[in-house]
Amino acid sequence: MAAFLVATLFAGTASAAECLVADPTGTPLNVRSKPQGGVVSALSNGVAVEIVDQRTLGGKRWAKVAADGAVLGWVFSAYLDCQTIDDRRKSAPMRPRTPPQ
């Protein structure tokens, strides 16, 4: 069921294979109880997470993330670097876009 949910969320783009925390400020990324909610923890750059839900609030995309099968909470999606099966050239804060060859 979770795989179906992730595939549905990314329909038309590609399903996420893995996401890494990539906060360009270099500080830990806040994990929140809900989009724009209270901070419950933080994740360091490079930590691998899986997106289990997404929402847009105030024009910003938020992702509910899990690691090692445990749901952690909500993070600002722009600070995730997600490699997809169909698009290995995705631009993200820690992996600038490279021109297609």
Side-chain angles (χ1 to χ4, degrees):
M1 182 67 163
F4 173 76
L5 177 61
V6 171
T8 302
L9 290 170
F10 287 97
T13 58
S15 56
E18 179 182 75
C19 297
L20 297 176
V21 174
D23 188 332
T25 68
T27 60
L29 178 61
N30 288 332
V31 179
R32 299 177 180 276
S33 59
K34 61 183 181 180
Q36 296 182 339
V39 176
V40 295
S41 66
L43 297 169
S44 298
N45 278 343
V47 172
V49 295
E50 174 186 358
I51 295 175
V52 296
D53 195 3
Q54 290 191 84
R55 301 263 162 77
T56 301
L57 183 62
K60 295 182 180 179
R61 291 185 66 158
W62 292 84
K64 189 175 192 178
V65 296
D68 299 323
V71 174
L72 303 173
W74 292 87
V75 298
F76 185 47
S77 292
Y79 294 163
L80 295 177
D81 182 3
C82 300
Q83 288 286 328
T84 60
I85 293 168
D86 295 335
D87 183 9
R88 300 286 183 205
R89 298 171 310 200
K90 181 190 176 297
S91 179
M94 292 188 62
R95 291 190 192 162
R97 180 178 296 276
T98 55
Q101 295 180 0

